[in-house]
Amino acid sequence: MSRAYQLSPSILSADFNRLGEQIQMIEKAECQWLHIDIMDGMFVPSISFGMPVVKSIRKESSLYFDVHMMVQDPERYIEEFKNCGADMITIHAETCKDLAGAVKKIHETGADAGVAVNPDTPLEAVAEVMDQVEMILVMSVYPGFGGQKYIPESTEKIRELRRMLDGKGLDHVHIQVDGGINRTTIDEVLAAGANIIVAGSAVFNGEIEQNARELQEKIRLCSKNGVQFTRHQ
């Protein structure tokens, strides 16, 4: 199966006074994914937004909702976020007492499942569920704030993860990278093996539609025709 490549713009960097309008710009740029960061003020110091925002934008958008839960004990909210419109629910290995159980719970709701690791968390933390998820997210900054610089050591971590997945025959599992992605660092993470690219400031600062198209063109150079994720109805 060919690998799907996607840009997933992060609304954490959007202007919330114009959120609906800016999501429409993303759609005009022919993006298919939207990255939605949920922060609880416990696992990360910041608080972002929750179910009401996801439910509200779901009414007006057909994008694939890539919901990243930076939340302690995320099992508490999995079903609610699916009901609000999440298509992919990504949880952090650092926040779950039973990671495999949480992944199973995500799948039971009908959503796709992702697991994430922070920059200082080894990939071994998600090894047990690599064959049970649709995506693994490598954080290339410390989570909690937008606009941070890419951590260079993340590149080798992405390479290692791709080697691990390929070695297990799991080349269909997507590798997402989130943090410090811009027109320069995007080439590095794509070359390392990532195929789902989260970008916040690089999309929403300035001309949104143009930014998204330029980043997508870089991704397109690395892409192959194949299976693309679509919304769960």
Side-chain angles (χ1 to χ4, degrees), residues 122-138:
L123 293 171
E124 286 72 17
V126 296
E128 66 167 325
V129 297
M130 283 184 177
D131 61 345
Q132 301 167 40
V133 299
E134 283 71 43
M135 188 174 77
I136 299 172
L137 165 56
V138 175

Side-chain angles (χ1 to χ4, degrees), residues 37-220:
D37 286 310
I38 309 299
M39 302 179 182
D40 66 352
M42 296 175 64
F43 174 57
V44 293
S46 298
I47 296 174
S48 58
F49 39 80
M51 281 80 78
V53 170
V54 179
K55 186 175 182 179
S56 177
I57 61 178
R58 176 82 286 166
K59 295 175 184 176
E60 302 294 332
S61 178
S62 61
L63 293 173
Y64 181 90
F65 278 15
D66 166 27
V67 174
H68 176 195
M69 294 183 66
M70 289 177 268
V71 174
Q72 194 65 41
D73 301 322
E75 301 92 333
R76 297 174 293 163
Y77 304 112
I78 286 170
E79 188 170 353
E80 289 182 76
F81 274 107
K82 177 61 177 76
N83 291 340
C84 288
D87 295 298
M88 167 79 76
I89 297 176
T90 299
I91 56 177
H92 273 258
E94 301 89 354
T95 66
C96 296
K97 299 180 180 69
D98 178 8
L99 187 58
V103 167
K104 181 180 178 183
K105 186 169 183 177
I106 293 171
H107 283 148
E108 286 173 347
T109 70
D112 293 318
V115 290
V117 289
N118 280 349
D120 54 1
T121 300
L123 293 171
E124 286 72 17
V126 296
E128 66 167 325
V129 297
M130 283 184 177
D131 61 345
Q132 301 167 40
V133 299
E134 283 71 43
M135 188 174 77
I136 299 172
L137 165 56
V138 175
M139 291 298 301
S140 46
V141 299
Y142 287 93
F145 302 96
Q148 298 182 63
K149 290 186 178 180
Y150 179 80
I151 297 174
E153 291 77 10
S154 305
T155 305
E156 181 52 39
K157 194 172 189 177
I158 298 164
R159 288 197 191 101
E160 181 185 353
L161 177 56
R162 182 53 70 194
R163 287 193 295 265
M164 292 172 70
L165 291 172
D166 289 351
K168 294 174 179 286
L170 301 172
D171 58 327
H172 61 282
V173 175
H174 300 292
I175 296 179
Q176 184 175 74
V177 178
D178 182 1
I181 302 299
N182 54 41
R183 287 169 180 76
T184 301
T185 55
I186 191 171
D187 294 328
E188 186 172 341
V189 300
L190 287 166
N195 63 297
I196 307 293
I197 308 300
V198 177
S201 300
V203 171
F204 288 100
N205 287 358
E207 297 297 325
I208 295 172
E209 187 175 342
Q210 179 181 333
N211 291 341
R213 289 187 184 278
E214 289 178 2
L215 291 171
Q216 286 190 106
E217 183 57 32
K218 283 180 169 284
I219 292 172
R220 217 168 267 127

